[in-house]
Amino acid sequence: MVTLACVAPDVDGLGIVPELLTRNSAHPLNWFSLYHHRLHTLAFSLIVAALALVLAKQKWKVGWLALLSFHIHLFEDMLGSRGPDGYQWPIPYLSPVSSGVQLSWHGQWGLNAWPNVVITIVLLLLTFWLAWWRGFSPLEIISVKADSAFVAALRHRFPGSQQA
Ligand SMILES: [Zn+2]
């Protein structure tokens, strides 16, 4: 739930599918251009955290961690998600109550810039190592069977003394 809370803000980016599919039509749906970052808000973070709190067994722990992970997403967007056209996708943090706060950072790097590539490689390696070490990975969210096969493949390829 904490992991899902971290990606939840980008639900507002799903409009990219109809936008790409209709971009050459007579009536293009610009849902990504219009709505991306509309859910990158304090209000939506509270809804997501409240949902996590209600659904989790360890209610307050998961609720607070969901709130934190949601905000880590916003922080990362501010750091390195500048569009190829230079647009910064400012975060309307207090929307819909106020549009006065638009969070952005002048030093923001591009979404496809080298820091994101390096961070992605480091985090993937860390994720693989943790899966190898602990015996489970984020794949577990989708399929326990696929997760077991992934961990088994890792441990077969890199035999050693892991945790379990
Ligand atoms: Zn985002």
Side-chain angles (χ1 to χ4, degrees):
M1 271 187 254
V2 173
T3 303
L4 291 176
C6 191
V7 293
D10 277 347
V11 165
D12 64 16
L14 292 176
I16 198 165
V17 175
E19 183 162 324
L20 288 176
L21 291 175
T22 63
R23 68 180 164 183
N24 296 321
S25 73
H27 304 286
L29 301 170
N30 297 322
W31 291 353
F32 181 76
S33 303
L34 290 172
Y35 301 118
H36 187 42
H37 276 194
R38 292 293 172 95
L39 294 178
H40 287 59
T41 64
L42 174 63
F44 190 57
S45 76
L46 294 174
I47 291 169
V48 168
L51 248 172
L53 186 142
V54 168
L55 297 173
K57 287 178 188 160
Q58 300 176 58
K59 297 193 176 302
W60 287 102
K61 181 180 179 183
V62 173
W64 282 115
L65 288 174
L67 190 66
L68 176 67
S69 73
F70 188 105
H71 282 81
I72 287 172
H73 177 121
L74 301 186
F75 177 69
E76 291 167 341
D77 273 357
M78 286 188 354
L79 283 184
S81 68
R82 185 187 297 260
D85 56 359
Y87 186 58
Q88 287 198 291
W89 296 98
I91 292 168
Y93 190 64
L94 298 180
S95 176
V97 176
S98 164
S99 60
V101 176
Q102 300 287 325
L103 302 176
S104 65
W105 176 50
H106 66 87
Q108 182 189 49
W109 58 80
L111 193 59
N112 61 348
W114 70 265
N116 287 355
V117 174
V118 170
I119 291 167
T120 301
I121 290 169
V122 168
L123 291 178
L124 276 174
L125 289 173
L126 181 64
T127 302
F128 287 5
W129 181 80
L130 283 171
W132 174 86
W133 175 252
R134 299 170 72 184
F136 62 93
S137 76
L139 258 181
E140 188 183 52
I141 296 170
I142 302 164
S143 163
V144 172
K145 194 174 171 185
D147 185 48
S148 297
F150 175 64
V151 169
L154 280 174
R155 289 179 171 180
H156 178 73
R157 178 70 182 86
F158 304 102
S161 55
Q162 57 282 118
Q163 199 173 48

